[in-house]
Amino acid sequence: MTLTLYVLLVAATGIAIRYLWSSRIERRPLPPGPPKDPLIGHLRYMPTAQAPFLFHEWAKTYGDVMHLQVLGKSMIVLDTLQAAADLLDKKGSIYSDRPPLPLYELLGWTYMLSFMRYGEIFTRHRQVHQSFFSRERCAEFEPMQNQEARRLVRNLLASPTENYGAVLSKFTTSILVQVVAGHKIESDDDPYLELSKMVHQVFSVTGPPGGTPIDFFPPLGYFPSWFPGAYYAGIARAWRPVIRKLYDYPLECVQRQRASNHLLPGNSSSQSLQESGDASPSFLLSQLEEMDNGASELDHEELKGAAATLFGAELPTRSVVAVFLLAMVLNPECQIRAQKEIDSVVGTSRFPTFEDRAELPFVECILQETLRQAFHPTRVPHRSTQDDIYRGMFIPKGSLILANVRGMSLDESTYKNPTKFIPERFLLPPLGNGELPFTCLFGFGRRKCPAVHFVERNLWIAIVSILATCTISNALDEHGNVIVPEASMSDGVDSYPNDLRCVIKPRSDEVEALLEESILLPDA
Ligand code: HEM
């Protein structure tokens, strides 16, 4: 028997056993779902693109808690906020696991909080991230965020349309690198920018998390990439060194800075390192200090994984700012209204700062509406660790739980005219409908994004700084016709507007002088 035949036979036997097991389970009332095939279940019907939209369509027929089955594995799709809150928030103790992700393990993504199984190591890492990004601590990052938002504006104004994506990446990477490794990006050939580009590429070539043949049949990871189903094994082998660099490089840099600073008398704490000008306080530095004091439970490899987790989280921020730009081109009346609000509160002779935030309710609404409209690729699902009954339906232990955030954003019982960009929907009556802010973009329960306060501040300062100083308008084609970009997003983890053609210009002659002045100010 050839090797190929042998492996196929083992895989088929595994699927048949799983099918028989799941048929036994199905005598209990599972949540409804579309019709399926014997043995392979919904495999043939699983969407290969724009899955959240199809799931939302299915939910109109089968309800907001749907059961799908692929090769014997149960998947539960939650399409309303209510269902997600009931299961993922209120029953967090049994809905916070992640499925094993064999492909990601092969790639070397170890100690990544986002992919970690629920348990003791998870709790330890979660605690480290949560305390570093606590609401109180986030205020410390504000001067740096102000400064980076102004650089963002300057770079957008100096760039042609086709480079806007790169400018947004630079903004999000610069902020993350300062926070994680205390390094300020000054030039376009900074090694961290290269590293961040490589991480984008890794995510774009490794398919949906948990959705490759290796994830269904892990031994395929050890086969040559020409072997049927083992294509991603080759990808993992090719990209593993890049991931390793993401793990090693930041810690090595911070350790080097620390070592050179320790040679100077009296320089031992993050405070004195900052004062010496060679390193800023950062996630890595504070963890190294805790290790020295015996206050950290992480070892060096775990710390590298914790830092890599944060670098890996750069993509969605870039995407949300891009969605904001697109929304402003398509809804110029919202842009004008926000600019009037900013002018009346801030004036035109300075940049907005976080102190202005409470006085700018319409800008706040634009942020919320951008979050609601931002595309939500299906992320790494949760996994249930116990059998459960919800509204009389049986949810088997080991089910993958997918919160369809796109479906939630389109729920007409929560959001009127959900496909339209209407920021004032969040204002209280009579100015608006008092609709709920769209917090579910940041996930649920014990796995909710731990950096939510930090991320939300990055987004707010970027949006308000652009609105205060720039006009975002339609680009023209070579015949002088107005280009109306299509409001659609690419698929995948690094989802981004398919068309971001627009023109960003200074709102007034004073903007450039204001930018130069405020970027040079040390406490800007
Ligand atoms: C617009 C930007 C962002 C959005 C929309 C976002 C959203 C999310 C979502 C939906 C999850 C998964 C929640 C779940 O499984 O229920 C998550 C997890 C996570 N996010 Fe974010 N995130 C953003 C940016 C960031 C940034 C910049 C960081 C770090 C600085 C970060 C750190 C994390 C971490 C560490 C996790 C894993 C949490 C866990 O599995 O327990 N995120 N985020």
Side-chain angles (χ1 to χ4, degrees), residues 88 98 113-116 122 126 129 133 176 179-180 309-311 313-318 320 371 379-382 405 440-452 454-455 458-459:
L88 305 180
R98 295 271 197 234
L113 181 63
S114 340
F115 309 143
M116 223 177 251
F122 164 82
R126 177 91 201 171
H129 288 287
F133 288 110
L176 269 184
V179 166
V180 180
T309 302
L310 302 178
F311 284 122
E314 183 250 319
L315 291 167
T317 314
R318 177 184 92 117
V320 173
L371 293 175
R379 287 171 168 262
V380 191
H382 291 218
V405 178
C440 60
L441 184 65
F442 293 101
F444 296 92
R446 298 180 189 188
R447 303 237 48 155
K448 186 176 173 159
C449 180
V452 55
F454 166 71
V455 172
N458 286 346
L459 294 171

Side-chain angles (χ1 to χ4, degrees), residues 181 192 244-259 284 288 300 304:
Y192 278 106
R244 197 58 233 167
K245 187 161 182 208
L246 181 72
Y247 276 60
D248 293 337
Y249 182 74
L251 186 62
E252 279 166 14
C253 289
V254 174
Q255 281 174 322
R256 253 198 319 272
Q257 287 164 348
R258 255 192 122 196
L284 282 169
L288 284 173
H300 278 92
K304 288 179 181 182

Side-chain angles (χ1 to χ4, degrees), residues 3 21 31 70 72 87 94 109 142-144 157 170 199-200 224 303 306 394 397 411 435 447:
L3 186 63
W21 171 250
V70 177
L87 297 182
I94 61 168
W109 287 122
E142 288 180 357
M144 178 272 287
L157 290 174
K170 191 171 177 182
V199 173
H200 284 202
L303 178 55
F394 176 63
K397 171 182 172 178
D411 180 357
E435 293 174 17
R447 303 237 48 155

Side-chain angles (χ1 to χ4, degrees), residues 188-200:
D188 285 344
D189 54 8
D190 191 289
Y192 278 106
L193 287 176
E194 188 52 32
L195 210 50
S196 144
K197 217 186 281 169
M198 302 296 260
V199 173
H200 284 202

